[in-house]
DNA sequence: TATAATATGGAACAAAGTGTTCTATTTCTA
DNA sequence: TAGAAATAGAACACTTTGTTCCATATTATA
């Protein structure tokens, strides 16, 4: 059987390349790093590089995938732990800041301003996917009807979260992960309430001033 | 007197170069556009290009500056018009979406996902600067004390706004500028309230559950 | 441990792009 | 119209990219 284990040389090469790129991003920013830089730093031959990765972007993405996997796992644990209190696992944000604090180096390289356009886009996609699933769940579980098109809310939250996180990563942190998480939640929660109309409340006529936007609901035009 | 007027040839050259870059960004995305592409499209000589701009980024930034100037003017007008109603010119957002709708092409090229890292960063800086000034004004005018560090709120709003705008630009719009502005405000307003504690209310003890974050206020730690 | 498989290093390569310099020519302003 | 200034074009050295070939090394495994 071999299925699972790569050749030791392969593992070594890929690890060296990923680590070198990471270090170089932190030093010069992704856009200014050349393949040659990575080769020199990793002390790996040119032909070898192209045997493993199609180009610089490919290496970059490969590097972040393990970080994303690690984050997803961390979030899953956090979701299970806190699902009964507060806003139904809404402390995903808190968990994210914790995870970022625990893996500050890769986060700075891959999420902050030092990262290139490729990764910012990738990170944004990860966040929107996560939030889309989450909001969808919450909506159907709590019988909440979107007042604003769900996708707009998703983009809104994902961008705000990514933006605050990026700022925190790029500015020598004066706030702890916990503080950041709490601040974000404090800002986000009221919006969360505004984005959905709880069906029960509507029946009570409480949400009389709730306006519905977009074309999702027929009577809204 | 010459002071104001550039040589007609200079105007023509710069205009051609900017327009060519704009068109090429929309076709291929900024990162894949080469100086040679711009030269060919504009039918301008290589030496001429480098007589005017230091490099591709320089041309890019020069191109966006007139857009920003135009936006600032539009916002100033909107602020004057609506300063008495609603949240003290908070409909800056509405005005932004209007402006973006009126200048869709340059917005798509310079703000959306097709733009490079350079411009995203530039746009983010413009937004934060604008918001920072605005929130500062509102805070001092209305005697509102930040509950969350002002810079965090700035980053939060700027990112959310830029994110929603980008999404709107990149996805063949099904929503009008007015709808987008209204949706954004609907999401943002509650957060705005949560970000500040109005001094008058504090004296009445209404904000008893307001938590203060960060190290800005001495008693918060 | 011997061997067959395979990953690596190094060099050489064409292709594409960058930014500079020089000169002849065209176009502008005054 | 004349002098000033901008432009086109070509040639240049330089950097980076991605590929190919082959000798050498390391590895898994029988």
């Amino acid at each position: 059987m071999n299925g699972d284990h790569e050749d030791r040389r392969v593992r070594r090469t890929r690890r060296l390349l990923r680590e070198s790129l990471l270090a170089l991003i932190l030093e010069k920013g992704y856009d200014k790093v050349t393949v040659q830089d990575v080769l020199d730093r990793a002390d790996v031959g040119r032909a070898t590089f192209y045997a493993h990765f199609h180009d610089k972007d490919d290496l970059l993405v490969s590097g972040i995938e393990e970080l994303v996997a690690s984050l997803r796992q961390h979030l899953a644990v956090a979701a299970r732990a806190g699902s009964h209190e507060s806003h139904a696992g809404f402390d995903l944000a808190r968990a994210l800041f914790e995870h970022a604090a625990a893996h500050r180096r890769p986060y700075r390289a891959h999420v902050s301003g030092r990262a290139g356009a490729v990764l910012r886009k990738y990170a944004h996609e990860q966040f929107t996917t996560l939030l889309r699933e989450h909001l969808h769940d919450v909506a159907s579980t709590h019988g909440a009807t979107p007042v604003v098109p769900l996708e707009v809310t998703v983009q809104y939250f994902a961008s705000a979260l990514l933006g605050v996180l990026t700022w925190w990563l790029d500015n020598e942190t004066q706030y702890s992960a916990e503080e950041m998480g709490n601040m974000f939640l404090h800002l986000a929660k009221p919006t969360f309430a505004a984005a959905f109309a709880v069906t029960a409340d509507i029946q009570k006529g409480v949400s009389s001033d709730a306006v519905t936007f977009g074309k999702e609901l027929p009577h809204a035009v």
Side-chain angles (χ1 to χ4, degrees), chain A residues 2-221:
Chain A
N2 55 0
D4 218 3
H5 290 307
E6 285 172 312
D7 192 310
R8 180 189 297 170
R9 291 167 294 180
V10 173
R11 281 201 307 275
R12 176 180 170 276
T13 297
R14 298 175 75 96
R15 179 175 49 77
L16 281 173
L17 288 173
R18 276 200 293 261
E19 283 174 3
S20 300
L21 178 59
L22 186 80
L24 286 164
I25 290 175
L26 291 176
E27 286 172 20
K28 316 166 54 167
Y30 179 71
D31 292 337
K32 291 187 180 170
V33 176
T34 71
V35 173
Q36 192 60 53
D37 289 336
V38 179
L39 266 36
D40 294 344
R41 174 73 58 109
D43 197 18
V44 160
R46 187 165 200 74
T48 306
F49 176 93
Y50 285 103
H52 287 281
F53 303 100
H54 185 265
D55 55 18
K56 201 177 67 164
D57 284 357
D58 194 18
L59 170 59
L60 182 69
V61 171
S62 116
I64 201 181
E65 274 169 357
E66 62 177 322
L67 186 62
V68 170
S70 160
L71 171 61
R72 284 194 174 275
Q73 193 176 346
H74 184 79
L75 290 185
V77 172
R80 241 175 293 140
S83 62
H84 22 83
E85 73 165 304
S86 81
H87 257 286
F90 205 143
D91 31 25
L92 284 183
R94 246 189 295 253
L96 172 64
F97 282 102
E98 277 172 23
H99 192 256
H103 304 280
R104 200 169 182 84
R105 242 173 79 87
Y107 265 84
R108 283 180 67 95
H110 290 147
V111 180
S112 90
R114 284 186 152 74
V118 182
L119 264 198
R120 302 280 302 167
K121 191 179 167 190
Y122 186 88
H124 189 263
E125 274 169 15
Q126 293 291 326
F127 277 33
T128 51
T129 302
L130 222 61
L131 268 171
R132 203 172 291 121
E133 290 168 8
H134 186 58
L135 292 185
H136 212 276
D137 278 7
V138 173
S140 59
T141 303
H142 292 59
T145 309
V147 173
V148 169
L150 202 65
E151 189 57 25
V152 173
T153 306
V154 166
Q155 295 293 329
Y156 180 98
F157 276 136
S159 300
L161 183 52
L162 188 53
V164 172
L165 176 61
T166 295
W167 171 82
W168 183 57
L169 290 170
D170 283 338
N171 296 271
E172 290 312 324
T173 173
Q174 41 181 328
Y175 305 112
S176 70
E178 195 188 354
E179 282 176 313
M180 290 305 297
N182 287 338
M183 288 191 254
F184 182 82
L185 289 187
H186 185 255
L187 294 175
K189 268 181 184 166
T191 293
F192 188 74
F196 297 95
V198 177
T199 317
D201 287 353
I202 287 181
Q203 290 169 348
K204 285 189 238 158
V206 173
S207 62
S208 55
D209 65 335
V211 188
T212 306
F213 299 97
K215 288 142 185 161
E216 284 199 345
L217 299 184
H219 58 281
V221 178

